Amino acid sequence: MKTGRFTLGFAYLRLSNEEAQGGESSSITNQRMIVQNYCKQNHITLVREFVDDGYTGGNFNRPGFKEMLKQLEQGKAHLVVTKDLSRLGRDMREASYYAEQFFPEHGIQYIAIADNFDTEHDNIMAPFLFAMNEVYLRDGSRKVKDVLRNKRENGQYCACPPYGYRKDQENRHRLAPDEATAPVVERIFRQAASGDSSRKIALDLSADGIIPPLKYRVLYRDEFSEEGASHASDLWNYTTVKRILKNPVYLGHTLLGKSKKVSVKSKKKAAVPRDSWAVTKDTHPPLVDEPLFRRAQENLGRGSRDFRAYDQVRRSIFGGVAVCAKCGHALCSCGTVYKGEREKYWYLSCTHQRRDIAAPCEGVRIRYADLVELVRRDLNSLLALDDEEVEALVQEAVRRMGSEESRKTRQLKKERAEARIMAIDKIVTKLYTDNVMGKLDDDRLSRMVADLEKESAGLKAALEELNALSPAQQTADSYARFFELARSYTHLEELDRDTLVAFVDRIEIGPKLYENGGHRVPARANQPYRQSVRIFYKFIGELAENGEKSSAEEPA
């Protein structure tokens, strides 16, 4: 295999921790020897060697590989040599992108010796080689999961030892009390059992100069990068104390498998349902006994106050349902007391009243009792409809949905959704390219891609709904669902939270409009006003174009 006109090249060597257990054949030393011998035989001068020892091929977030890309961009070499394609990476999509698109587009020749891959020649078998490398990656991941699952089921501790414990020197899969930190854990439980809050315990530990868990790991137990070590604080946090108090590991039980990786190629983890956790009892010496642990649990959070328990606290049924028609923010329950009156001066108001925006949400406020009565009357008018009136209502809605204008609107929504999905795909591809070129850091890439994928998923779900049924059929089915629910009610004397959320999706409250055309009037002025209240019901949406409340402002 000839290399063409390029004589200056880079060697790239990679070995994951799992592959290192497979013997010398894939070792860094063996890779180096193969690459050097090949370069001597083909008159290639190796300018520099880049090594990622202990890094998976499942992603390209590797320091050696990133540094090599920077050097290539600066024109230090125009040739990259690896032992085989799997050393470049095992992610089929990204490995193929670098080998068959990125390197050729940037005038870089890439050679994978063992796989007879050269970007200056046709590589007919390349797709199969990339695919087999990913199969190896997935199979390796499956084997690791099987080993970990077997260890967990047998009570072996295969994770970082929690604060208060260390790995047993005679059995690395078993926990043993840490002489330095186990007494601190016992102290935390004793204080909690005696009634001390988590915050007080944290303050006491900090005042006594006791090193918190993360700082202890940095100083005495684990190896941290300089950046990771910088996050360790010298002070205890009350959340750390709570985490210790809730952990059954201190009773001698092993609790593992609370989270799992979302995919083979991702480092992100997702929570696992509680009934799927791996719990094995009596696997190591406990630091506290059952009575002490139970007393600590009983006192945990006892000092916190639930303000909803007080009679003077107003409890709104519209939380998350009533929103501002101008900005979309949920309305806040607020008010005052005047001459012993509480209900009369209870309001729902938009608190999103920033003065640095062009049109602040002034005047978006409604008396709580007025809104309750308005919604109750409107809902009762629907519950009172007989079968013929319901059928007429459905037919009118079907007629509106089946109109030419509605069909055009539906088609426009589909076209916009499809166009946006295509745009998102292009944006994601460009973001990955920018990340490879060093123009976009990994953290920002992850956040931006996650947001775009979430938006794309929502658009695809909306497309499925648009394509599922005709507008007329969808409308008829929605009304049928709503009035099937309504049959279990007759007449509402009072409106409660459960009934509200069963029927109402959201309520949009508009600003008050006074006779002078403005949103504000002098304080305590008894001025008439109009205010839009739009009720959007479950399944069927808004039944009328606008609901409107007319009244006079009462003094606040």
Side-chain angles (χ1 to χ4, degrees):
M1 184 189 301
K2 295 183 178 181
T3 63
R5 65 183 184 278
F6 302 114
T7 57
L8 299 179
F10 288 156
Y12 179 69
L13 319 174
R14 182 193 64 79
L15 184 70
S16 69
N17 292 327
E18 292 79 9
E19 291 168 328
Q21 301 172 5
E24 180 66 20
S25 62
S26 296
S27 69
I28 295 296
T29 303
N30 185 60
Q31 293 180 52
R32 181 180 291 117
M33 180 184 65
I34 293 174
V35 171
Q36 289 178 349
N37 289 340
Y38 177 85
C39 290
K40 288 178 182 178
Q41 295 172 6
N42 290 274
H43 310 291
I44 299 172
T45 301
L46 286 178
V47 180
R48 185 173 171 182
E49 180 184 276
F50 298 89
V51 180
D52 282 319
D53 194 358
Y55 286 86
T56 177
N59 61 70
F60 282 78
N61 186 23
R62 314 177 212 134
F65 185 80
K66 289 184 175 181
E67 179 61 25
M68 182 179 71
L69 291 180
K70 292 181 180 178
Q71 296 293 320
L72 290 171
E73 289 175 7
Q74 296 172 10
K76 300 293 180 66
H78 294 86
L79 174 67
V80 175
V81 184
T82 63
K83 172 179 172 286
D84 53 44
L85 287 172
S86 67
R87 298 309 92 201
L88 180 66
R90 293 190 180 277
D91 183 294
M92 178 172 60
R93 183 171 64 89
E94 289 198 81
S96 175
Y97 163 73
Y98 282 110
E100 299 188 298
Q101 183 176 341
F102 179 82
F103 288 146
E105 288 180 354
H106 291 78
I108 300 166
Q109 184 181 4
Y110 170 62
I111 296 173
I113 302 168
D115 291 324
N116 199 33
F117 183 96
D118 188 339
T119 53
E120 291 204 338
H121 298 82
D122 292 332
N123 300 284
I124 299 175
M125 298 299 293
F128 298 99
L129 295 173
F130 290 125
M132 288 306 300
N133 285 330
E134 178 152 330
V135 169
Y136 178 91
L137 173 69
R138 294 177 181 273
D139 185 56
S141 175
R142 179 188 58 80
K143 290 178 180 177
V144 170
K145 288 179 181 178
D146 289 343
V147 171
L148 292 176
R149 186 184 302 110
N150 184 62
K151 288 182 177 180
R152 287 198 297 261
E153 290 174 352
N154 287 284
Q156 297 182 8
Y157 204 92
C158 45
C160 179
Y163 185 76
Y165 284 104
R166 57 174 173 78
K167 290 292 183 72
D168 194 325
Q169 295 180 352
E170 297 181 358
N171 183 355
R172 301 297 295 173
H173 297 300
R174 192 171 186 268
L175 293 177
D178 186 336
E179 294 79 4
T181 57
V184 180
V185 174
E186 295 179 43
R187 169 182 170 173
I188 291 173
F189 275 94
R190 284 198 305 271
Q191 284 193 237
S194 65
D196 288 351
S197 68
S198 300
R199 192 177 299 275
K200 183 180 186 305
I201 295 172
L203 291 173
D204 289 348
L205 293 171
S206 298
D208 292 344
I210 296 175
I211 302 173
L214 183 58
K215 189 76 171 183
Y216 180 81
R217 289 178 58 192
V218 170
L219 293 177
Y220 302 111
R221 202 179 74 183
D222 301 328
E223 293 184 4
F224 279 77
S225 65
E226 185 175 343
E227 180 183 359
S230 65
H231 297 299
S233 172
D234 294 321
L235 301 176
W236 280 78
N237 189 294
Y238 76 95
T239 56
T240 303
V241 175
K242 281 186 177 181
R243 193 177 298 118
I244 291 174
L245 291 172
K246 291 179 179 179
N247 197 342
V249 71
Y250 299 112
L251 287 171
H253 310 323
T254 296
L255 176 62
L256 297 171
K258 294 194 292 183
S259 63
K260 65 178 181 179
K261 291 178 65 175
V262 296
S263 71
V264 175
K265 304 175 187 178
S266 175
K267 291 185 178 181
K268 291 185 178 181
K269 292 186 176 182
V272 173
R274 192 180 188 88
D275 55 2
S276 299
W277 293 355
V279 181
T280 310
K281 294 191 174 184
D282 303 323
T283 57
H284 54 268
L287 298 187
V288 297
D289 56 28
E290 186 71 42
L292 180 61
F293 186 88
R294 187 171 57 254
R295 289 200 306 274
Q297 300 302 302
E298 291 172 353
N299 288 329
L300 189 62
R302 179 174 289 181
S304 62
R305 291 180 294 176
D306 185 359
F307 289 95
R308 293 171 297 179
Y310 295 94
D311 293 335
Q312 62 268 34
V313 175
R314 298 179 171 101
R315 301 170 183 84
S316 170
I317 65 172
F318 295 102
V321 177
V323 300
C324 174
K326 291 190 67 176
C327 68
H329 282 70
L331 298 186
C332 178
S333 176
C334 55
T336 185
V337 179
Y338 183 71
K339 293 183 179 180
E341 288 279 359
R342 293 182 58 81
E343 296 295 321
K344 185 177 180 180
Y345 300 99
W346 181 6
Y347 297 92
L348 297 179
S349 177
C350 181
T351 58
H352 192 243
Q353 298 179 6
R354 288 170 41 192
R355 300 298 175 184
D356 58 335
I357 60 177
C361 304
E362 295 179 351
V364 181
R365 187 177 79 155
I366 188 170
R367 184 178 283 105
Y368 181 83
D370 290 347
L371 182 59
V372 171
E373 182 59 21
L374 191 151
V375 175
R376 188 187 70 85
R377 288 203 311 262
D378 198 74
L379 190 51
N380 274 331
S381 67
L382 291 176
L383 299 180
L385 295 177
D386 57 29
D387 292 343
E388 292 183 0
E389 290 172 322
V390 169
E391 182 61 25
L393 192 64
V394 172
Q395 292 303 320
E396 174 60 22
V398 169
R399 185 190 64 77
R400 290 199 307 268
M401 290 299 296
S403 66
E404 183 63 27
E405 183 178 354
S406 296
R407 285 195 296 269
K408 289 181 179 179
T409 302
R410 180 185 177 85
Q411 184 61 30
L412 182 61
K413 287 182 179 179
K414 289 175 60 177
E415 292 175 355
R416 286 177 177 174
E418 291 169 349
R420 179 58 180 166
I421 290 172
M422 292 179 63
I424 288 174
D425 291 341
K426 292 180 180 179
I427 292 171
V428 170
T429 302
K430 180 65 166 59
L431 290 175
Y432 276 109
T433 303
D434 289 346
N435 176 254
V436 171
M437 299 294 292
K439 299 178 181 178
L440 186 68
D441 61 74
D442 293 340
D443 291 339
R444 192 176 179 188
L445 172 70
S446 299
R447 292 195 303 270
M448 295 177 72
V449 170
D451 290 341
L452 289 169
E453 288 180 344
K454 183 177 180 180
E455 181 185 356
S456 179
L459 290 170
K460 289 177 180 177
L463 272 178
E464 289 181 2
E465 291 183 2
L466 289 170
N467 293 325
L469 294 171
S470 66
Q473 186 60 49
Q474 283 185 327
T475 301
D477 290 349
S478 297
Y479 272 76
R481 293 171 67 186
F482 179 85
F483 283 102
E484 182 179 355
L485 174 64
R487 289 192 186 97
S488 58
Y489 295 81
T490 54
H491 181 80
L492 300 176
E493 295 296 337
E494 293 183 0
L495 183 64
D496 56 27
R497 173 71 179 182
D498 292 339
T499 305
L500 177 72
V501 297
F503 285 101
V504 179
D505 187 42
R506 76 181 187 280
I507 304 171
E508 293 184 0
I509 310 297
K512 295 176 180 179
L513 300 176
Y514 295 91
E515 291 183 349
N516 60 8
H519 299 308
R520 303 179 69 182
V521 295
R524 299 185 181 280
N526 192 13
Q527 294 279 347
Y529 67 87
R530 292 179 296 106
Q531 184 174 26
S532 68
V533 178
R534 303 179 64 186
I535 304 173
F536 295 83
Y537 289 102
K538 294 287 181 68
F539 312 124
I540 61 177
E542 187 181 21
L543 292 179
E545 290 296 322
N546 274 295
E548 193 170 273
K549 174 180 177 289
S550 299
S551 185
E553 187 73 51
E554 295 194 19

